[in-house]
Amino acid sequence: MMKYKLLLATTLALSACTSYQVPESPTFAAGSRWAVMPMINNSNTPLAAEKAEQILNAQLYAKGINAVMYPASETNDLASILDNSARRKNAQAWLASQNVDYVITGSVEEWHYKSGLDGEPAVGITLEVQSAKSKNTYWRATGTRGGWGRESVSGTGHIVIETLLDGLNVGQK
């Protein structure tokens, strides 16, 4: 009985650091063409969305989706780094000239180290798949994770994105 209580307490303590809402997606055709579009950075960390986009693109490739990335914008000053509306506008203009079926985008809610002695990483991300033509949303998932003291924010972001993409169904080739 004591082992059961200890196991339950440990499970509750570990699960308190993560939260995911990952519904199953419809099955997307294996030959579909995808584009990664700019994510919205709602965190207090500059360039967090760009970091998450790079991890997302690599994780999509691991799932068999060879997505194209929107072209990078030149950011020469702090104002352009903090205001991503120009980046999103340029990416939308680029998308109009692309032959893609789906776009994947989202937002970064958290991307930082918590304050304190251990400085654990904290990451919160939402992903969304839309039709490139109609803009209909086909799938949306969100997740947060607090890592351990020796983990990196990027490593924690990798885990969150990988867990979210587990709900994305892609047909066989």
Side-chain angles (χ1 to χ4, degrees), residues 116-129:
L117 292 177
D118 291 335
E120 299 98 352
V123 171
I125 295 174
T126 299
L127 295 178
E128 173 173 300
V129 175

Side-chain angles (χ1 to χ4, degrees), residues 112-160:
H112 63 93
Y113 290 97
K114 296 178 187 176
S115 59
L117 292 177
D118 291 335
E120 299 98 352
V123 171
I125 295 174
T126 299
L127 295 178
E128 173 173 300
V129 175
Q130 298 174 337
S131 164
K133 307 294 185 255
S134 70
K135 305 295 186 231
N136 289 338
T137 300
Y138 293 115
W139 178 80
R140 185 177 294 133
T142 188
T144 62
R145 181 176 190 274
W148 298 100
R150 301 215 186 278
E151 286 184 52
S152 68
V153 173
S154 294
T156 303
H158 178 89
I159 292 168
V160 171

Side-chain angles (χ1 to χ4, degrees), residues 27-34 64-66 99-102 170-173:
T27 301
F28 298 101
S32 301
R33 295 170 309 272
W34 293 67
I65 299 171
N66 192 10
N99 184 19
V100 296
D101 301 307
Y102 303 104
V170 180
Q172 300 296 319
K173 288 187 177 182

Side-chain angles (χ1 to χ4, degrees), residues 73-86:
S73 300
E74 292 296 319
T75 52
N76 298 329
D77 58 16
L78 183 60
S80 59
I81 290 172
L82 296 176
D83 178 20
N84 64 11
S85 60

